[in-house]
């Protein structure tokens, strides 16, 4: 029987994509995936320190593997991901869990296969957290698990130091991939039949600034426009500080780019935005939205919002609601602020009580849900183009999104995953749409 691996992924899309790279390394060594701990020869914990109580979760989950290791001493347990680069986590972890075989950071993920081979040969525990700012390895091909969607890193790290965020401390400064490497990857994904490609980075608008060869995000979008084939192009995430009309125009002129922009506002209060170190005001944000709407009138705008940031008053919170009213967000990821150790906001005076935070998030979610339901109703009777992405066994329906990111469910006798289909919307189910298939590719 062949060797098997199991990867447990926590956190954001960046982590999910890094797990695809680890899967690529393991698959290159002849391992196959399993979802059963008992069958696994290698178990990888890809940790994330961005989520709340991340360390407790990670420690709890890793601790639970002690029994599996006792029953199968040959089992290799690996811990990687951005948490390994936070504070003294990498030093503490092997002391707390002596059965962990190796710990690696995000910079040396591409060396995963070499480190695993070394571990198997020497049987010694390995802790390697490299500091490799500036150098990007291209040696691993990800084993993707999200057809027809694919994520392509264009820039790693972040230079922004928002006061609530741990990312710049654990993922280092911005490092852009070479444009040729990105274009090669996108072309090959299109050739393989992927239908939605999301360019990934903490701040995609910063792409190219560190390369010093004239590369820019706009230039990259324009180059991708020349690639033939039908696919959708998305970005995650833009930053209001760096997003501008040139990016909006490049999106407008690119036949592949979805008319959908995710622009995290975080707050509508200038005072809070300053404390967050976001380096834009609410009115800067609104002018960028106006520019987008001028260039791409049908563009959907989604955002991230945080409530309960230190010192946030009811008035500040109302500024956030007011920003939502002015923009009319097609979707918002709403978060309750929670301190991340090692960030400036964690030690700020004026931390907000859980009760107040809960009250504000409920009001914000309520506002946004009511707005979304209203927008969903506008779809009724329309025929929309949906990229079929998955099949929901509970609902017995296929599901997918339109270019604006709206989710729709529909029935089909044939498997349509990976196809662009036309769906007539008959009703809404809360945030999503229900329709009937009227045409397949
Ligand atoms: S832009 Fe701000 S919130 Fe986003 S990763 Fe960078 S520091 Fe964190």
């Amino acid at each position: 029987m062949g060797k098997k691996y199991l990867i447990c992924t926590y956190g954001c899309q960046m982590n999910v994509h890094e797990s695809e790279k680890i899967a690529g390394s393991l698959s290159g060594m002849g391992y196959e995936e399993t979802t059963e701990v008992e069958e696994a020869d290698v178990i990888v914990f890809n940790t994330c320190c961005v989520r709340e109580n991340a360390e407790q979760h990670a420690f709890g989950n890793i601790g639970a593997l002690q029994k599996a290791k006792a029953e199968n001493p040959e089992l290799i347990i690996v811990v990687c991901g951005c948490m390994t680069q936070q504070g003294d986590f990498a030093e503490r972890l092997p002391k707390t869990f002596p059965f962990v075989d190796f710990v690696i950071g995000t910079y040396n993920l591409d060396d995963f296969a070499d480190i695993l081979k070394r571990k198997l040969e020497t049987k010694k525990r390995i802790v390697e957290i490299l500091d490799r700012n500036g150098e990007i390895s291209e040696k691993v091909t990800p084993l993707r698990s999200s057809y027809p969607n694919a994520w392509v890193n264009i820039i790693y790290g972040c230079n922004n130091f928002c006061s609530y965020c741990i990312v710049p401390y654990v993922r280092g400064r911005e490092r852009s991939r070479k444009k040729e490497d990105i274009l090669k990857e996108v072309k090959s994904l299109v050739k393989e039949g992927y239908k939605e490609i999301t360019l990934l980075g903490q701040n995609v608008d910063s792409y190219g600034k560190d390369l010093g060869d004239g590369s820019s995000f706009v230039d990259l979008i324009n180059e991708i426009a020349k690639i033939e084939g039908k696919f959708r192009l998305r970005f995650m995430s833009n930053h209001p500080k760096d997003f501008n009309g040139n990016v909006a125009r490049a999106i407008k002129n690119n036949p592949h780019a979805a008319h959908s922009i995710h622009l995290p506002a975080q707050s509508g209060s200038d005072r809070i935005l300053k404390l967050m170190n976001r380096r834009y005001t609410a009115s800067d944000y609104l002018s960028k939205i106006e520019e987008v709407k001028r260039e791409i009138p049908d563009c959907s705008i989604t955002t991230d919002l945080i409530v309960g940031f230190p010192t946030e008053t009811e008035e500040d919170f109302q500024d956030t609601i007011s920003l939502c009213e002015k923009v009319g967000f097609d979707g918002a990821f709403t978060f309750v602020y929670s301190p991340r150790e090692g960030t400036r906001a964690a030690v700020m005076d004026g931390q907000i009580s859980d009760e107040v935070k809960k009250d504000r998030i409920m009001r914000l979610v309520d506002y946004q849900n009511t707005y979304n339901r209203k927008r969903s109703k506008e779809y009724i009777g329309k025929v929309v183009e949906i990229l079929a992405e998955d099949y929901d066994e509970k609902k017995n329906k296929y599901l997918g999104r339109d270019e604006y990111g709206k989710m729709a469910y529909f029935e089909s006798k044939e498997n349509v995953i990976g196809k662009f289909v036309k769906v007539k919307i008959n009703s809404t189910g809360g945030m999503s749409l229900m329709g009937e298939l009227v045409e397949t590719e």
Side-chain angles (χ1 to χ4, degrees), residues 333-359:
F333 295 97
T334 52
F335 302 91
V336 170
Y337 169 77
S338 72
R340 296 291 181 270
E341 204 187 321
T343 60
R344 277 184 291 144
V347 290
M348 279 180 187
D349 290 336
Q351 299 287 329
I352 303 294
S353 73
D354 287 348
E355 203 187 346
V356 171
K357 285 184 195 168
K358 197 171 156 201
D359 172 61

Side-chain angles (χ1 to χ4, degrees), residues 232-285:
R232 270 188 203 149
L233 182 68
R234 295 189 190 274
F235 319 105
M236 189 187 277
S237 288
N238 292 91
H239 193 302
K241 170 175 71 73
D242 300 308
F243 181 88
N244 57 38
N246 292 335
V247 178
R249 278 181 285 283
I251 292 173
K252 178 174 81 173
N253 295 328
N254 184 319
H256 307 300
H259 286 186
S260 173
I261 293 171
H262 184 70
L263 202 59
Q266 309 301 9
S267 172
S269 154
D270 290 347
R271 194 182 67 80
I272 295 295
L273 286 169
K274 192 150 193 248
L275 285 175
M276 286 177 164
N277 194 31
R278 292 290 289 175
R279 286 177 276 178
Y280 53 85
T281 62
S283 79
D284 295 337
Y285 185 90

Side-chain angles (χ1 to χ4, degrees), residues 158 160-162 164-165 167-168 202 239 278:
C158 184
N160 290 314
F161 290 92
C162 300
Y164 53 85
C165 182
V167 166
Q202 309 292 349
H239 193 302
R278 292 290 289 175

